[in-house]
Amino acid sequence: MKKNLDKKKILGAIFALVLFLYYIVTWWFLDYAIGTRKFVPRKKDKKKDEKVSPLEDLKIIETNIFTKDNCRLFGKKLINKNSHKWVITIHGYRSSSKSMDKYAYEYYNNGYNVIMPDLRGHGKSGGKHIGMGWLDKEDIKLWIKHIINIDRNAEIVLHGISMGGATVMMLSGDKLPDNIKVIIEDCGYTSVYDIFKSECKVRFKMVHYPSLLLGSLLCKLHIGYGWLEASSVEQLKKNIDIPMLFIHGKEDKFVPFSMLDKVYGAAGCEKEKYVVEGAEHANSVDVAGKAYWDKVFGFIDLRFSSIFISEVLYSLPDTETAVSFPQNTNAPTSQYQNESAP
């Protein structure tokens, strides 16, 4: 009898230890995945940063807005004063608005006003945790409102890369103003849970269950969203109005190429798919070059009324400052300069 009792105590202790270890591992993964730890760029990524920005000769307006939870969001603007066309370019995971310079340049040269936000937990924006698209979709609504306050006749494109692509897909299922005309998503993931599951397998060689479920629960309790609810697929099912272009590199290993068909199939709106052969994660624009932009603007132009006016007056709030880019070519614009998985 005593031996059986001792055995039960030992088994109970082992079980408690296993649970404790799972809890520790899950907290580590949670902090690793969405904590705003300092990101050290790889050597090849540092070389990319040394390249001259295509925006260096353009006038950049820096601006800040604040969320309901009092998080300061930083963004940059390029203004074309003869146009109602606007785009919000949305960067990826552990990156910053700097990574969207080449996208902003193309849009600006095609007559667009451009908003380039740093997502919460990235660049110069505040925030203790990364939103993985779910929190960010609410923040992008504030940037949309910011645009409409400037130009009530604005026709707006949302263009997101990687986590930015997931952001615009998640946003597509919410009620949006009629000013949103087109959404471009490039290599976004199906859900936060799915991308973390993929990372567990590919990057960490670990079993995702039950750590991810526990991580999702902890994230929900402490940060405000669960990884299963943060689903691009479920949100896309609600979008029946806003046309979408889905882009993905055929050789993408970070956000698996197989996710493209899932998000594309879920969308109930007018849509097109663009697969870039030979492109890895988030470099379809580099591989395809002009063909990328021909596809993007071809898709957009068919859905824009392309209203031009002789002059639009832009009044800048007190939090905005007009600057010439870059302010300091030797200083990094962000602690997160480059995109990594997801």
Side-chain angles (χ1 to χ4, degrees):
M1 183 74 176
K2 187 176 181 181
K3 287 183 178 180
N4 289 336
L5 188 62
D6 289 341
K7 186 181 291 186
K8 287 181 180 180
K9 286 182 178 180
I10 292 172
L11 290 175
I14 292 173
F15 182 71
L17 179 61
V18 170
L19 285 180
F20 177 73
L21 290 175
Y22 256 114
Y23 184 79
I24 294 298
V25 170
T26 302
W27 262 115
W28 172 84
F29 185 82
L30 183 67
D31 180 66
Y32 179 90
I34 62 175
T36 53
R37 61 191 170 83
K38 184 174 178 60
F39 175 66
V40 180
R42 296 166 296 181
K43 288 183 178 180
K44 66 177 183 178
D45 292 329
K46 287 181 179 179
K47 291 181 180 179
K48 292 180 183 179
D49 286 339
E50 294 172 0
K51 293 182 179 179
V52 176
S53 168
L55 307 182
E56 70 166 357
D57 295 325
L58 301 179
K59 182 180 179 181
I60 303 292
I61 298 171
E62 295 185 344
T63 186
N64 296 283
I65 60 176
F66 290 85
T67 66
K68 290 181 179 179
D69 59 343
N70 203 35
C71 177
R72 182 183 64 82
L73 301 176
F74 172 82
K76 298 179 291 188
K77 284 193 293 195
L78 295 169
I79 297 298
N80 264 307
K81 288 193 174 182
N82 65 337
S83 173
H84 282 300
K85 299 193 296 184
W86 289 80
V87 64
I88 303 177
T89 59
I90 307 166
H91 66 76
Y93 181 75
R94 297 201 182 279
S95 185
S96 73
S97 57
K98 180 179 174 59
S99 68
M100 302 303 291
D101 283 1
K102 56 192 168 187
Y103 298 89
Y105 179 78
E106 291 293 334
Y107 276 106
Y108 181 80
N109 278 352
N110 278 273
Y112 286 76
N113 302 286
V114 185
I115 296 278
M116 305 167 62
D118 282 343
L119 298 178
R120 64 168 60 216
H122 295 79
K124 295 181 180 180
S125 288
K128 296 180 180 179
H129 300 97
I130 295 173
M132 296 304 299
W134 194 252
L135 298 182
D136 304 305
K137 73 183 179 72
E138 301 303 318
D139 297 341
I140 295 301
K141 289 177 185 178
L142 298 178
W143 287 112
I144 293 170
K145 183 178 179 180
H146 179 79
I147 291 174
I148 296 172
N149 285 341
I150 294 171
D151 178 9
R152 61 187 178 84
N153 294 316
E155 295 184 308
I156 304 170
V157 174
L158 304 176
H159 192 142
I161 308 298
S162 189
M163 189 178 79
T167 299
V168 298
M169 287 192 286
M170 293 174 185
L171 183 59
S172 73
D174 288 354
K175 183 173 177 57
L176 297 172
D178 293 338
N179 303 75
I180 306 300
K181 301 300 181 182
V182 174
I183 295 176
I184 311 292
E185 86 79 19
D186 187 336
C187 63
Y189 40 81
T190 50
S191 73
V192 175
Y193 187 90
D194 289 345
I195 193 60
F196 285 164
K197 178 180 175 181
S198 175
E199 286 292 278
C200 282
K201 179 181 178 181
V202 176
R203 182 180 293 245
F204 300 107
K205 312 299 181 186
M206 61 181 279
V207 178
H208 73 278
Y209 184 86
S211 295
L212 286 190
L213 287 178
L214 179 57
S216 178
L217 176 61
L218 292 175
C219 188
K220 179 70 173 180
L221 291 174
H222 293 280
I223 302 169
Y225 69 98
W227 297 342
L228 287 168
E229 71 177 302
S231 170
S232 300
V233 169
E234 293 305 313
Q235 287 291 100
L236 285 165
K237 291 176 182 178
K238 303 175 189 176
N239 177 23
I240 59 173
D241 299 316
I242 306 172
M244 294 187 67
L245 175 62
F246 295 81
I247 304 172
H248 217 111
K250 190 69 178 290
E251 304 304 319
D252 195 336
K253 299 297 189 296
F254 285 153
V255 176
F257 178 72
S258 59
M259 288 189 176
L260 172 61
D261 285 339
K262 294 177 182 177
V263 293
Y264 181 80
C269 59
E270 181 186 355
K271 59 190 177 183
E272 286 187 25
K273 185 193 303 183
Y274 179 42
V275 175
V276 180
E277 297 288 340
E280 298 179 351
H281 183 63
N283 80 332
S284 290
V285 67
D286 298 317
V287 172
K290 183 177 181 296
Y292 183 98
W293 292 110
D294 287 344
K295 185 67 177 180
V296 167
F297 288 122
F299 185 83
I300 293 172
D301 290 346
L302 290 175
R303 293 153 183 91
F304 259 49
S305 63
S306 300
I307 301 173
F308 284 85
I309 56 175
S310 58
E311 183 178 5
V312 179
L313 298 178
Y314 298 91
S315 57
L316 302 180
D318 294 337
T319 54
E320 298 181 325
T321 307
V323 299
S324 295
F325 183 90
Q327 298 180 72
N328 182 349
T329 55
N330 295 318
T333 8
S334 165
Q335 62 178 328
Y336 304 126
Q337 291 284 324
N338 303 282
E339 174 159 323
S340 62

